[in-house]
Amino acid sequence: MRFQKLKAQAFGCLKDWESPPLKPGLILVFGRNESGKSTLFNLITTLFYGWYPANREANPYIPWGEAEAVCEGELLIEEGEVVTVSRRLRNTPIGMLIQADRVIELRNRTLPYVEVLPREVFREVYAVELNDLKFPQQRAWETMQQLLLGGQFGSFLRPISQVAEELEEEANRLWRPDRRGKPRAREIGERLRELRTLREEARIREERLRQAQMELAERQRMLEENITKKSRLIAYIDRCERLNPVRKKLKRIQELKEMSAYAANYDDLPEDPGGRLKNIEAQLEELRFQRTRLEGKRLQLEGVIQAFTERDQVLLGRAAEIKLLIKSYDRIRADQEELKNLEFDIKSKGEQLKQHASEVLVGGWRPELAKALGAVDTAVLKVAIDSFRQAQERYQEQINRVEALKVSARQRRSAGFVPWFSGAFSMLGMLGFTLANAVEAKFLSALVMVTGVILLLTWWLFGRRSIEHPELKLEEKRLQQLYEEVEEARARIKMLLSGVPVVPQRLESPDSTLLLDISRLKELLQDIKESLGRKDVIVERIIQTERRALKLLGECGLDENWVGNNFESFYDNRNNDGHSGAGVLSNNHDKGSSAGAFTGVYNDAMHGGYREVINSARQRDALGMIDLLQVMLQEAERRYQDAQNAKGQLEDLKLELSKVDGTIAQLEREKSYILLRLNELPGKDIDAKIEGLMKARILARQADSILEDLRRDYPDLEDIEREVMELTQKDEERAFDDDTLARAKAERDQIEQELNVLNNEIGTLKKEIEIAMGQGNMDEIEGEIALLEAELKRIARQRDRLLLMRNVILEAEKRFREEHQPDVLKKAGRYLSAITDGRYTHLFTKEGQQATLLVKCVDIDELIEVKEGFLSRGTLEQVYLSLRLAFMEHLDPVGNSMPAFLDEVFVNWDGFRLDNGFALLKELAEKRQVFIFTCHDWLVERLTDKLDAQVVELGM
């Protein structure tokens, strides 16, 4: 059995992961720490055995943020059949096994190919991690023992040691020879001793029970007699207590009604007439004060309504235009600021123009020069200056050439001896070099010869050329032509600058600086023109705004004369107070801003003049008029809103006045009626009449209250009244007097005491009888004794059977282990011998200690116990790896070789044993698919060099 492919759609840290096609043999899984090696092994375990735990909340391999975990694997069975296993865990586990065209629903069951191998054995044997290279866990070891000895395993079977322990525990629960624990046989013996004691006590108890039953019958007879007597007394007392209180209260009710009979005729008066009259007076006084206050408020609201005038209506009608004008406030302020900046800029540029002109022009700047300066074409001037510069350069070069020719002509004759002198010098040096014997003489002769050659070459290159130049007169003629060209270029520049009084020295030698100075003057002049144009536009825009503001003021009833007379005081107040009108613009605009005196520069280019005109005429303040309009509009809106609110309040106020007048009239009528009725009552004055009425009403209420209490306490009051009436007619009232009732109550109390004593005695006797009867009789106790004795005999037989079964099972298991287990240890010894080159050859187990291993060391020919302190760490790991490999051979399901999983098992091995381990891996890979997990690069390199291993990388 081997895997052909593994997929993890969502499993732990693996998401949308798919392995390459997996080959048979050795597969090297390489990944860094936390890259998913352990997750991959758990994925394979899940494919084999299903989800554990099988719920989404507890399973650790549900990816973070995912609703489910999904994995899939493709398996090749030994018979050549390819199957696909799919597992999914969401709310419930889902599993499917696909065989060709057949789908088997697994749910969370184990694959049928590995169901004989428990999950814990698979993890202990087939998955070998570095930390797991130790003796298997006790539970897994016992399960492997069953698999090794029995050859196969079913989930319904348990280890023999566990079964033997359970049989022994069951036998000890029945009977033990020692005093430990509480076996069932000891409990039965103790119970038998108790029952024999109880049997004697029961005999004595039955004799006492007969005597108690006789006493109980006598006490019950006496109790019946006293109950009968008491019932007669209770009937008498009840009748007396029921009739006497009612009879007394009825008599009191009659007396109270006679005293308050006349009060019923005045029920229409208030409960407290005097208090009501005072309350009415207080209410009337408060209502009159309230009416006065409401009248004043009415006059105030009418004044608010009248404050909204026709001018306010006109302002509201022009509200849209006024608000549009208000929005231009900031723009006007910006225009005024820009106007100031333009004036400053014009003045600054004028100063710069004068300064620059004083450096370039004769007599400095004059306004009439503007036209001439504007007519200068700087592009043509630039070409003319460049032409002059080029002509000047050619002329200077020609001057130099003529001067050189003149010098050459003067030196022509004096240079004629040079060739002869140089030749003689060279011949002399050559002769000296040929005839001299000393090295110093030869060197000096060579130096003379070279000097002569150099002089000859110099003459040939330079002196001879002067002789061959054209005639000097021809060059002087060319010089005169170039001079005329220079003068023509200078004259052209002067013509271009005619009318502009440039300094003569600059015209005699014009250069690029002259062009720059003229361009700067033209640029300053143009800037001043543009600033003056922008200034005119701004002034016109401010004037238009002022006209709109004046028009709106006129439409609102404020003509230009009013504005002229009153605007100045308004504007002064705005400047002095720091705010306009009602102060609505103090936070939005700076105080004191105005479009006051405008200054400017007027330049008439057509007449060639430049002059500055200062206009100091005071203009109307556009911003102030906008402030005034805004204040007036806000005041009009406020008065309109106040008038609307006042109208609504006035209607409510009139309704409230109407209600107050109605309440005053009603209270006056009530007061008159109360006084009229009080005058009908007996008494010397109003206070006495009210006091008499109040007392009579109190007596009437007392009579009604007593009667109401009687009716509530005695629902059968009418029957009681008839019964009292009958006793009165029969003159039997004395039989129900208080003395007779007191004697009857005393006799009743005495009988109650006697009844209490009898009841206590009867209760005690009944309790004794009940306890005696509940403790069981002799027949029941003797029957229980017989049953327990029979159970004691059965327990002895059952214990003997359990112990016999245990001993038989252990003996059979011991014999079978002795016959079959050594084969596993032999195979493990062979693996260990191959790894250690024959140093450790055999493994043994101690008798009676299955969890203890011994290994034979050939070097010392002794058995060494396999544990720390006796063997090195690497050797211990190799012993346990050999034991796991031997287990794999025995535990493989029939017909299927399970894949093996080795995780970092070779990291502690030395050189030659590591090579031996690789050879063992090669042998193991021929039988089964082997997965090796590692994070070490060196181990990957060595394995791929030594073995044919497929590398699968994780987390790369």
Side-chain angles (χ1 to χ4, degrees):
M1 175 192 302
R2 69 179 180 85
F3 283 99
Q4 288 188 335
K5 186 172 287 187
L6 294 171
K7 295 181 182 179
Q9 182 178 340
F11 191 93
C13 64
L14 299 177
K15 188 173 182 181
D16 296 330
W17 177 85
E18 181 176 350
S19 71
L22 301 177
K23 300 178 181 179
L26 190 62
I27 298 174
L28 185 58
V29 181
F30 174 69
R32 301 301 179 190
N33 292 331
E34 307 298 333
S35 63
K37 300 190 296 296
S38 300
T39 303
L40 182 60
F41 171 70
N42 281 281
L43 182 146
I44 294 171
T45 306
T46 302
L47 290 175
F48 277 154
Y49 295 97
W51 300 97
Y52 180 79
N55 63 82
R56 181 179 177 276
E57 288 73 15
N59 195 291
Y61 293 100
I62 302 295
W64 181 260
E66 297 290 337
E68 61 181 3
V70 183
C71 58
E72 183 179 311
E74 187 177 296
L75 281 168
L76 176 64
I77 311 303
E78 293 295 334
E79 294 79 4
E81 181 185 4
V82 178
V83 299
T84 301
V85 183
S86 176
R87 302 277 188 180
R88 182 186 298 269
L89 177 61
R90 193 166 189 175
N91 296 328
T92 58
I94 300 172
M96 289 186 295
L97 175 63
I98 304 174
Q99 296 176 330
D101 57 350
R102 190 161 60 98
V103 178
I104 301 173
E105 186 176 353
L106 293 175
R107 295 184 182 177
N108 204 39
R109 297 194 304 272
T110 304
L111 283 179
Y113 313 108
V114 296
E115 61 185 359
V116 298
L117 193 67
R119 181 193 289 262
E120 61 268 19
V121 174
F122 173 76
R123 296 187 68 90
E124 285 284 343
V125 176
Y126 291 88
V128 184
E129 298 182 12
L130 182 61
N131 296 330
D132 293 336
L133 286 177
K134 58 183 182 299
F135 202 84
Q137 299 293 332
Q138 183 65 27
R139 171 66 177 167
W141 170 255
E142 292 175 354
T143 306
M144 287 188 282
Q145 289 285 320
Q146 296 300 318
L147 292 170
L148 292 172
L149 299 178
Q152 56 184 341
F153 183 78
S155 60
F156 60 90
L157 298 179
R158 292 177 295 171
I160 289 175
S161 60
Q162 183 180 354
V163 175
E165 289 178 2
E166 292 177 357
L167 289 173
E168 186 176 1
E169 291 176 0
E170 182 65 23
N172 289 334
R173 282 196 295 270
L174 296 176
W175 181 85
R176 294 178 68 97
D178 51 22
R179 302 295 297 175
R180 298 173 61 187
K182 292 191 68 177
R184 180 61 179 162
R186 183 177 300 135
E187 293 178 354
I188 292 174
E190 293 175 356
R191 180 59 179 165
L192 285 173
R193 288 191 292 272
E194 293 177 2
L195 290 174
R196 293 187 182 103
T197 302
L198 292 174
R199 183 172 55 186
E200 181 62 23
E201 294 175 355
R203 185 185 62 78
I204 299 171
R205 189 168 55 252
E206 287 184 357
E207 181 64 28
R208 294 177 56 188
L209 180 61
R210 286 192 292 271
Q211 295 179 0
Q213 288 175 344
M214 294 174 62
E215 292 180 2
L216 178 61
E218 179 64 22
R219 295 295 189 279
Q220 287 178 343
R221 184 188 62 78
M222 295 172 62
L223 181 64
E224 290 295 333
E225 292 179 355
N226 285 329
I227 289 174
T228 303
K229 186 185 296 183
K230 179 182 176 182
S231 62
R232 289 196 297 267
L233 288 173
I234 288 175
Y236 173 76
I237 293 170
D238 180 65
R239 188 178 183 188
C240 289
E241 290 179 345
R242 183 168 55 86
L243 296 179
N244 276 343
V246 175
R247 182 173 59 84
K248 293 178 181 179
K249 289 182 179 180
L250 288 174
K251 186 176 180 181
R252 177 58 180 169
I253 289 171
Q254 184 65 29
E255 293 174 354
L256 291 174
K257 285 185 176 182
E258 291 176 356
M259 295 171 63
S260 61
Y262 77 95
N265 297 327
Y266 296 92
D267 289 340
D268 55 334
L269 290 177
E271 185 66 24
D272 183 7
R276 179 56 182 164
L277 288 174
K278 292 179 181 179
N279 189 17
I280 289 173
E281 287 293 338
Q283 289 182 17
L284 287 172
E285 183 177 357
E286 182 180 356
L287 288 171
R288 292 186 186 103
F289 175 77
Q290 183 178 357
R291 191 178 188 288
T292 302
R293 181 175 57 82
L294 292 175
E295 282 290 339
K297 188 174 181 180
R298 182 179 64 80
L299 295 175
Q300 181 182 359
L301 291 175
E302 289 175 351
V304 171
I305 294 172
Q306 294 173 0
F308 182 67
T309 63
E310 294 181 359
R311 179 179 294 171
D312 294 334
Q313 293 178 1
V314 174
L315 283 169
L316 292 178
R318 300 291 187 274
E321 298 178 27
I322 295 173
K323 290 179 179 179
L324 184 62
L325 187 63
I326 291 171
K327 289 181 179 180
S328 65
Y329 190 97
D330 292 334
R331 191 193 67 190
I332 296 172
R333 287 191 61 193
D335 287 345
Q336 291 181 352
E337 292 296 327
E338 186 177 359
L339 195 62
K340 293 178 182 178
N341 295 334
L342 286 173
E343 291 173 354
F344 177 80
D345 185 63
I346 291 169
K347 183 177 180 180
S348 175
K349 293 294 176 60
E351 294 296 328
Q352 293 180 30
L353 182 65
K354 293 177 181 179
Q355 178 66 28
H356 205 68
S358 65
E359 299 174 359
V360 179
L361 304 178
V362 177
W365 175 256
R366 298 188 300 277
E368 57 271 15
L369 297 177
K371 184 176 181 181
L373 186 63
V376 176
D377 191 339
T378 55
V380 176
L381 181 62
K382 180 178 182 303
V383 173
I385 292 174
D386 290 341
S387 299
F388 173 79
R389 181 177 54 78
Q390 294 172 3
Q392 183 72 17
E393 290 175 355
R394 290 193 299 271
Y395 176 69
Q396 188 64 40
E397 290 176 358
Q398 187 65 23
I399 290 174
N400 295 334
R401 187 177 295 113
V402 169
E403 291 296 329
L405 287 174
K406 289 180 179 181
V407 173
S408 177
R410 286 193 300 269
Q411 295 178 352
R412 184 174 181 182
R413 293 192 177 188
S414 62
F417 70 93
V418 173
W420 300 100
F421 178 77
S422 299
F425 214 63
S426 299
M427 293 299 293
L428 181 62
M430 185 181 298
L431 182 63
F433 183 79
T434 304
L435 298 177
N437 293 324
V439 176
E440 291 81 357
K442 284 181 175 291
F443 178 78
L444 183 61
S445 298
L447 182 62
V448 171
M449 182 180 63
V450 170
T451 302
V453 172
I454 290 173
L455 288 173
L456 182 62
L457 290 175
T458 302
W459 177 83
W460 180 262
L461 294 174
F462 298 103
R464 184 173 175 273
R465 184 181 303 173
S466 63
I467 298 173
E468 296 176 355
H469 273 299
E471 294 296 332
L472 179 60
K473 291 183 179 181
L474 183 63
E475 293 300 327
E476 289 178 345
K477 184 178 180 180
R478 174 66 177 165
L479 179 63
Q480 182 62 32
Q481 292 176 354
L482 291 175
Y483 174 76
E484 292 175 357
E485 291 179 1
V486 170
E487 290 299 322
E488 289 177 1
R490 182 182 288 112
R492 185 179 180 188
I493 293 172
K494 290 180 178 180
M495 182 188 67
L496 291 174
L497 293 177
S498 61
V500 180
V502 180
V503 176
Q505 292 81 356
R506 301 289 295 274
L507 290 176
E508 290 299 323
S509 181
D511 53 10
S512 58
T513 58
L514 178 62
L515 177 64
L516 292 176
D517 290 338
I518 296 300
S519 298
R520 179 59 179 163
L521 290 173
K522 288 174 66 64
E523 181 182 352
L524 290 172
L525 191 61
Q526 183 64 29
D527 291 344
I528 292 173
K529 285 183 179 181
E530 292 177 356
S531 297
L532 287 171
R534 176 63 181 164
K535 174 185 173 184
D536 293 340
V537 172
I538 293 172
V539 169
E540 180 62 25
R541 188 159 58 223
I542 293 175
I543 292 173
Q544 292 297 328
T545 304
E546 290 175 349
R547 290 173 180 173
R548 288 171 56 196
L550 286 172
K551 179 182 177 183
L552 286 173
L553 288 171
E555 291 175 350
C556 295
L558 305 177
D559 55 13
E560 187 172 357
N561 295 329
W562 184 92
V563 173
N565 296 330
N566 298 280
F567 178 72
E568 196 64 40
S569 61
F570 166 80
Y571 183 70
D572 291 341
N573 291 334
R574 184 173 68 88
N575 288 338
N576 294 332
D577 299 339
H579 59 278
S580 62
V584 296
L585 298 176
S586 61
N587 293 328
N588 299 328
H589 313 295
D590 296 334
K591 64 181 183 177
S593 61
S594 66
F598 299 122
T599 62
V601 178
Y602 174 73
N603 177 24
D604 188 0
M606 298 299 295
H607 295 84
Y610 175 81
R611 58 195 179 90
E612 181 178 6
V613 179
I614 300 176
N615 180 15
S616 59
R618 178 172 179 81
Q619 305 295 323
R620 290 186 179 91
D621 188 355
L623 298 181
M625 287 187 284
I626 293 174
D627 287 347
L628 177 61
L629 285 171
Q630 183 174 5
V631 171
M632 293 173 64
L633 178 60
Q634 290 177 347
E635 289 295 322
E637 290 175 345
R638 181 183 60 78
R639 284 191 290 270
Y640 172 76
Q641 189 62 39
D642 291 346
Q644 295 299 318
N645 295 334
K647 288 179 181 179
Q649 294 178 14
L650 187 61
E651 294 297 327
D652 297 338
L653 186 64
K654 289 179 179 179
L655 292 175
E656 190 173 356
L657 277 171
S658 177
K659 291 180 181 179
V660 169
D661 292 339
T663 305
I664 292 174
Q666 183 179 358
L667 290 174
E668 290 286 356
R669 289 193 297 270
E670 183 180 358
K671 176 182 176 183
S672 299
Y673 179 77
I674 291 172
L675 291 174
L676 179 63
R677 292 287 287 163
L678 287 175
N679 289 327
E680 298 175 359
L681 291 172
K684 60 181 180 179
D685 54 16
I686 292 295
D687 292 338
K689 293 177 180 182
I690 291 173
E691 183 179 358
L693 179 62
M694 295 292 291
K695 289 181 179 180
R697 285 180 172 178
I698 291 173
L699 295 177
R701 281 196 296 271
Q702 289 179 357
D704 294 338
S705 177
I706 295 171
L707 182 60
E708 185 66 26
D709 292 341
L710 284 175
R711 289 174 178 172
R712 183 179 61 254
D713 297 337
Y714 301 95
D716 54 344
L717 181 60
E718 295 180 356
D719 296 337
I720 294 174
E721 288 179 345
R722 284 195 299 270
E723 191 173 355
V724 171
M725 187 63 65
E726 291 176 358
L727 290 176
T728 303
Q729 293 175 356
K730 294 179 180 179
D731 198 15
E732 294 181 1
E733 287 184 306
R734 294 180 182 178
F736 295 94
D737 59 7
D738 294 337
D739 293 339
T740 306
L741 180 60
R743 289 193 297 270
K745 287 183 177 180
E747 187 177 358
R748 182 198 61 186
D749 293 340
Q750 183 178 357
I751 292 174
E752 284 182 352
Q753 293 177 2
E754 293 176 359
L755 288 174
N756 290 334
V757 173
L758 289 173
N759 282 326
N760 291 334
E761 293 177 354
I762 290 172
T764 302
L765 291 172
K766 287 183 177 180
K767 190 66 175 178
E768 291 178 359
I769 294 170
E770 182 180 356
I771 292 172
M773 294 180 68
Q775 291 177 351
N777 53 37
M778 291 180 62
D779 295 336
E780 294 175 350
I781 294 173
E782 288 176 352
E784 186 176 355
I785 290 172
L787 290 174
L788 291 176
E789 289 175 348
E791 185 178 359
L792 192 59
K793 293 177 181 180
R794 184 183 60 78
I795 287 173
R797 290 194 299 271
Q798 181 67 16
R799 177 185 176 278
D800 292 340
R801 288 196 201 98
L802 293 172
L803 291 178
L804 179 60
M805 290 171 59
R806 171 185 174 277
N807 293 333
V808 169
I809 291 172
L810 290 177
E811 183 64 23
E813 190 265 343
K814 178 181 179 183
R815 292 180 183 180
F816 196 81
R817 186 187 309 111
E818 290 174 353
E819 294 175 3
H820 295 81
Q821 183 174 339
D823 183 57
V824 176
L825 299 179
K826 288 177 183 178
K827 291 181 179 180
R830 286 198 297 272
Y831 288 137
L832 183 61
S833 178
I835 294 172
T836 61
D837 277 346
R839 184 176 183 184
Y840 300 100
T841 57
H842 295 84
L843 287 173
F844 303 93
T845 58
K846 284 186 179 181
E847 183 66 27
Q849 300 184 17
Q850 296 178 5
T852 302
L853 284 176
L854 299 174
V855 64
K856 184 177 181 181
C857 181
V858 176
D859 295 345
I860 59 176
D861 196 22
E862 291 183 359
L863 295 177
I864 302 175
E865 187 172 352
V866 180
K867 66 179 182 180
E868 293 183 5
F870 293 85
L871 296 173
S872 67
R873 180 178 178 182
T875 303
L876 284 173
E877 294 175 359
Q878 292 153 14
V879 170
Y880 290 127
L881 179 61
S882 301
L883 187 61
R884 298 293 178 89
L885 295 178
F887 281 148
M888 288 182 193
E889 290 190 26
H890 277 270
L891 297 179
D892 277 335
V894 178
N896 288 317
S897 296
M898 297 284 289
F901 305 89
L902 307 180
D903 188 3
E904 304 290 9
V905 297
F906 299 107
V907 294
N908 296 321
W909 292 25
D910 55 17
F912 80 92
R913 291 191 181 182
L914 184 60
D915 293 336
N916 294 339
F918 288 171
L920 187 60
L921 275 180
K922 183 178 180 181
E923 178 184 346
L924 185 64
E926 294 175 355
K927 301 177 183 179
R928 68 181 72 247
Q929 196 176 33
V930 180
F931 290 83
I932 298 179
F933 298 89
T934 184
C935 64
H936 299 285
D937 298 326
W938 64 267
L939 184 58
V940 175
E941 294 176 0
R942 294 196 63 176
L943 272 171
T944 52
D945 290 342
K946 296 285 186 181
L947 303 174
D948 181 16
Q950 179 186 2
V951 179
V952 176
E953 296 185 356
L954 291 178
M956 298 299 179

